[in-house]
Amino acid sequence: MPVTMDTLVSLSKRRGFIFQSSEIYGGIGSCWDYGPLGVELKQNIKRIWWRDYIQRRPDMVGLDASIIMHPTVWKASGHVDNFTDPMVDCLECRHRFRADKVDEMPWVHYCAATKGNKFTIPAGEACSHCGERRTQCPDCGKGRLTAPRQFNLMFKTFMGPVEEEAALTYLRPETAQGIFVNFDNVAQSMRRKLPFGIGQIGKAFRNEITPGNFIFRTREFEQMEIEYFVNPRDTVEGKPADEYWHERWIADSLAWFQRYGLRAENLRLREHEKDELAHYAKRTADIEYYFPIGWSELMGIANRTDFDLRQHAKFSGKALTYFDEERKEHVVPYVIEPSAGVDRALLAFLADAYQEEEVRGEKRVVLRFHPELAPVKVAVLPLLKKREDIVRTAHTVRDTLARHWAVVYDDTAAIGRLYRRQDEVGTPYCVTVDVQTVGDSDKGESADGKVTIRDRDSMEQARVPIDALSTVFLDLLNGGAWSAVASKYPAAKA
Ligand code: GAP
């Protein structure tokens, strides 16, 4: 059974992943705060993305551009004129909807055939009593909806102390434009030859008409974007370079999500139809994920052609070209843009990791995160918190491991509860310090200097010398097999 959004929202709050923003004031629509575990998970997603795409590839460099940019950027990019959604308003309750989404919502209906009883009818369906379809506002069921009007999704703000038209600017609705306007700076300063890419991670803001579904669609979110510049005159393996690189980036992006745990059956590609292509795109393919709300966009990979560089050259008066040494001519590069949302990626990783299973007659909730994503890598747990020598040793083990990884110490419950808590937040390994580790002088038992490691996924245990812990975790957290550790350091039979 796929996990529901309600289950994820409730787990996220209970275990410190994600809280509603400004909750003590009643919350603010579609804004979310990442708690102690959520911020670790989010940082891990961004870190591996940056490492895999920017640091490990010779053809990529990074950038961190300003969120507020010159207002003409948004005129040139087409966002002032085109970044709009059609919206309709209810004349009764004043709720606002995206015109193209109204029929995808469940709708409230006062049914004449049942003395005006109120029903909530699933999206797209007719009332089973009177056969009517939705004509009124889906939320209140009483008001008429206005004709669609275009609504610009950019957040406006003012630079400086005077709120006047001349000071008007915007919070960026995509990180991409920061890359385009820096194309020449980066190409010159880093002496880049085509093809090469510039990647950036950062906040973007959109005044979405219908945000919702937890962190799936929010007004403030983060993007991980790459603009990959190619020479449109080149061919690679018999294809125009832009089309070749578009295919490569689609395949690479799909493989990336699978490498970190998303199941192949929960991922699919969807080509944009001609009439839904963005104003700048020659072709766009979305990677969709089977979210708890159904198949929806996780990331888009667009061929933006030379649209953006040409527009910025036109509006700024600065040439944004590349000198093709071979052909001795200036060209305007084409751009392939793999663009992913950090928050959506996090939601997908969370949903895919979530599993419920029965263990010895009890429900176990476990997040099977890839070790690179897990917010906590190791939890160190003392078996008896009243034994000062056990607690001291556990703290020492934690301090040593924490030099390399995110490690927690917890002694606030019995060991069974502590294991379950770590399972529920996806910690791949627990270390338990017990009486055998430190010995028991009253009983004449000497210390064995070993601790128990428990594997989250198999729940198997191994008994490892404290001195070997760092080496063992280095191996395990880099993809080493648990079975090798379990056979090298067998646990005592219970
Ligand atoms: N530069 C291209 C661009 O911004 P997009 O399809 O509008 O393209 C790219 O956005 C990605 O950003 C989406 O695939 C999604 O993951 C994320 N995203 C877009 N709008 C979002 C929103 N309101 N809330 C959360 N994530 C969003």
Side-chain angles (χ1 to χ4, degrees):
M1 266 273 284
V3 61
T4 66
M5 198 68 102
D6 283 349
T7 304
L8 292 182
V9 174
S10 137
L11 173 84
S12 295
K13 179 175 160 86
R14 197 172 67 251
R15 303 314 315 274
F17 281 93
I18 301 168
F19 310 122
Q20 191 176 18
S21 168
S22 321
E23 193 182 330
I24 59 168
Y25 288 100
I28 170 165
S30 94
C31 295
W32 299 90
D33 296 341
Y34 287 85
L37 296 191
V39 67
E40 292 288 342
L41 177 56
K42 202 177 189 204
Q43 300 275 23
N44 289 344
I45 294 170
K46 293 192 282 186
R47 185 180 51 76
I48 58 174
W49 185 92
W50 192 264
R51 181 196 63 197
D52 294 353
Y53 287 123
I54 311 298
Q55 295 176 330
R56 287 194 174 159
R57 291 181 61 133
D59 55 347
M60 294 285 307
V61 288
L63 185 76
D64 183 10
S66 167
I67 287 176
I68 297 175
M69 303 175 70
H70 194 289
T72 311
V73 167
W74 306 110
K75 195 79 196 138
S77 68
H79 283 82
V80 169
D81 296 325
N82 297 317
F83 196 56
T84 55
D85 272 343
M87 52 133 201
V88 290
D89 290 295
C90 171
L91 294 171
E92 185 79 24
C93 68
R94 305 273 161 209
H95 284 181
R96 181 166 279 187
F97 310 92
R98 257 176 69 173
D100 53 338
K101 297 283 175 197
V102 180
D103 285 328
E104 294 173 19
M105 302 171 67
W107 55 286
V108 167
H109 173 54
Y110 292 91
C111 176
T114 60
K115 296 187 183 148
N117 281 346
K118 181 182 171 187
F119 297 100
T120 300
I121 300 183
E125 291 185 15
C127 172
S128 57
H129 303 282
C130 66
E132 248 184 52
R133 293 200 165 265
R134 187 197 62 74
T135 52
Q136 308 289 67
C137 166
D139 271 4
C140 71
K142 291 177 178 162
R144 238 175 3 94
L145 297 178
T146 59
R149 282 178 294 157
Q150 291 301 327
F151 171 77
N152 196 292
L153 300 185
M154 281 196 293
F155 272 97
K156 290 180 178 153
T157 187
F158 297 94
M159 277 289 235
V162 189
E163 290 197 10
E164 58 182 24
E165 194 63 19
L168 175 68
T169 180
Y170 305 93
L171 301 185
R172 67 181 176 200
E174 61 173 9
T175 61
Q177 298 304 324
I179 298 180
F180 294 129
V181 300
N182 277 296
F183 168 76
D184 207 42
N185 283 335
V186 174
Q188 295 303 330
S189 61
M190 305 307 287
R191 299 171 307 282
R192 289 283 131 175
K193 297 254 173 289
L194 293 179
F196 76 92
I198 306 175
Q200 172 165 222
I201 300 177
K203 290 262 183 177
F205 302 83
R206 295 182 189 177
N207 205 357
E208 300 277 5
I209 300 169
T210 41
N213 290 316
F214 195 27
I215 54 170
F216 180 81
R217 189 182 307 284
T218 51
R219 293 188 170 117
E220 172 181 344
F221 56 97
E222 258 183 297
Q223 290 186 313
M224 306 184 280
E225 293 202 299
I226 291 167
E227 306 304 330
Y228 196 77
F229 300 95
V230 305
N231 190 334
R233 311 256 163 92
D234 285 349
T235 48
V236 189
E237 294 180 7
K239 286 187 185 157
D242 61 318
E243 293 178 14
Y244 168 84
W245 281 106
H246 199 177
E247 289 296 343
R248 275 283 295 269
W249 276 107
I250 292 170
D252 279 6
S253 304
L254 265 172
W256 190 84
F257 280 111
Q258 286 182 49
R259 193 179 325 145
Y260 295 106
L262 296 193
R263 276 164 282 187
E265 67 264 31
N266 287 337
L267 289 165
R268 73 179 188 192
L269 265 189
R270 189 183 73 80
E271 289 287 335
H272 281 212
E273 303 289 339
K274 285 273 171 282
D275 62 353
E276 65 171 317
L277 281 176
H279 57 275
Y280 48 72
K282 166 174 161 184
R283 176 192 166 200
T284 298
D286 283 348
I287 294 183
E288 293 192 333
Y289 178 75
Y290 192 62
F291 286 98
I293 49 171
W295 287 105
S296 308
E297 177 186 341
L298 170 59
M299 76 176 287
I301 303 136
N303 182 343
R304 291 180 81 127
T305 68
D306 54 6
F307 175 86
D308 300 272
L309 291 181
R310 279 194 191 280
Q311 285 293 103
H312 288 303
K314 186 167 133 196
F315 278 74
S316 68
K318 303 276 184 321
L320 294 174
T321 53
Y322 170 86
F323 188 65
D324 181 338
E325 299 280 354
E326 225 172 273
R327 297 180 182 94
K328 301 283 179 239
E329 61 185 11
H330 288 274
V331 289
V332 183
Y334 265 40
V335 177
I336 305 303
E337 180 193 64
S339 171
V342 179
D343 313 78
R344 268 188 211 178
L346 189 147
L347 183 59
F349 284 125
L350 189 65
D352 222 290
Y354 185 93
Q355 278 178 4
E356 289 179 12
E357 53 194 35
E358 201 179 293
V359 177
R360 288 183 287 280
E362 278 184 26
K363 181 170 107 175
R364 171 170 103 121
V365 171
V366 55
L367 292 180
R368 292 187 194 276
F369 282 134
H370 186 286
E372 295 248 37
L373 292 179
V376 176
K377 310 297 183 209
V378 181
V380 182
L381 317 169
L383 197 70
L384 298 173
K385 73 171 176 182
K386 290 201 179 113
R387 281 277 301 260
E388 195 268 333
D389 48 355
I390 292 182
V391 168
R392 189 166 14 92
T393 305
H395 278 299
T396 308
V397 168
R398 194 217 75 93
D399 293 348
T400 308
L401 297 179
R403 286 190 210 134
H404 310 285
W405 302 285
V407 182
V408 297
Y409 168 93
D410 192 3
D411 65 6
T412 56
I415 193 71
R417 279 279 292 287
L418 294 180
Y419 282 154
R420 289 289 180 273
R421 251 186 226 166
Q422 295 303 327
D423 290 342
E424 214 187 1
V425 298
T427 306
Y429 303 104
C430 290
V431 167
T432 307
V433 181
D434 56 24
V435 179
Q436 288 77 42
T437 313
V438 295
D440 194 335
S441 50
D442 291 348
K443 292 186 184 158
E445 289 167 6
S446 56
D448 72 359
K450 293 179 180 176
V451 289
T452 299
I453 303 185
R454 173 188 179 267
D455 173 48
R456 175 195 70 200
D457 293 344
S458 64
M459 292 185 288
E460 287 173 9
Q461 303 191 342
R463 188 90 185 148
V464 178
I466 290 177
D467 290 348
L469 275 181
S470 294
T471 319
V472 165
F473 283 130
L474 189 65
D475 175 46
L476 284 174
L477 292 167
N478 281 312
W482 167 258
S483 54
V485 173
S487 59
K488 184 168 178 190
Y489 300 107
K493 292 266 177 295

